[in-house]
């Protein structure tokens, strides 16, 4: 696993479709820089894409913070929108407030190791996810 070049936090606005594309690119680059495998990168970018889109569409925009951890990344999506009325219901597969499949929040949760929501009606939403890079299994030849 390579050493990450930066252990700081990057803050990105989420206010347009262009910002969504930029957020996906930054998450993929950060994951690559922190030793995530291609599959791990894809899972994290998929979760981040869904959460960033929710921040834009349901929260009216906000921001994403990408924080480096020793062996992973923490992504925090924050908006000042209407909040989530019923988090338990929102996390149920099939629940949707739009025309989607209702797999956004619950699907994103399945793609990462840690997932938390802080939301109150009228006060916005903050969703934090954490993903850790895991090394590939060693081949039998490498195991000796």
């Amino acid at each position: 696993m390579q050493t990450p070049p930066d252990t700081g936090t990057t803050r990105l606005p989420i206010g347009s479709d262009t910002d969504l594309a930029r957020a996906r690119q930054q998450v993929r680059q950060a994951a690559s820089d922190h030793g995530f495998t291609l599959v791990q990168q894809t899972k994290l970018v998929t979760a981040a894409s869904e959460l960033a889109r929710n921040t834009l569409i349901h929260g009216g925009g906000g921001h994403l913070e990408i924080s480096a951890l020793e062996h992973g990344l923490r992504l925090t999506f924050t908006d000042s929108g209407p909040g989530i009325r019923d988090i338990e219901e929102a996390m149920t597969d099939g629940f949707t407030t739009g025309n989607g499949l209702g797999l956004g929040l619950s699907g994103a949760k399945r793609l990462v190791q840690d997932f938390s929501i802080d939301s109150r009606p009228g006060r916005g939403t903050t969703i934090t996810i954490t993903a850790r890079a895991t090394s590939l299994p060693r081949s039998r030849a490498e195991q000796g």
Side-chain angles (χ1 to χ4, degrees):
M1 186 178 337
Q2 61 189 12
T3 303
D6 183 346
T7 57
T9 297
T10 301
R11 184 177 170 137
L12 302 168
I14 299 175
S16 68
D17 285 340
T18 301
D19 292 339
L20 294 178
R22 186 173 296 115
R24 284 190 295 269
Q25 290 170 344
Q26 290 289 319
V27 169
R28 182 169 300 280
Q29 186 62 54
S32 175
D33 291 347
H34 287 78
F36 284 61
T37 67
L38 184 56
V39 170
Q40 292 167 337
Q41 290 174 41
T42 301
K43 286 179 176 182
L44 183 58
V45 170
T46 300
S49 181
E50 178 61 34
L51 297 174
R53 182 160 294 286
N54 283 356
T55 299
L56 178 62
I57 293 172
H58 300 292
H63 65 272
L64 161 62
E65 290 183 358
I66 304 170
S67 302
L69 305 174
E70 187 173 347
H71 296 289
L73 294 169
R74 178 176 45 247
L75 308 181
T76 303
F77 300 84
T78 304
D79 68 58
S80 298
I84 300 172
R85 181 183 51 81
D86 185 338
I87 293 173
E88 186 176 333
E89 180 181 44
M91 292 299 297
T92 303
D93 285 347
F95 175 79
T96 182
T97 57
N99 296 326
L101 298 174
L103 298 174
L105 292 177
S106 61
K109 181 178 181 178
R110 284 191 292 271
L111 294 171
V112 296
Q113 283 83 27
D114 297 308
F115 183 100
S116 68
I117 297 178
D118 180 20
S119 184
R120 291 178 187 82
R123 296 185 181 226
T125 300
T126 298
I127 298 177
T128 302
I129 61 174
T130 303
R132 288 175 277 290
T134 57
S135 55
L136 295 172
R138 296 185 321 178
S139 71
R140 288 187 180 162
E142 292 175 313
Q143 293 175 7

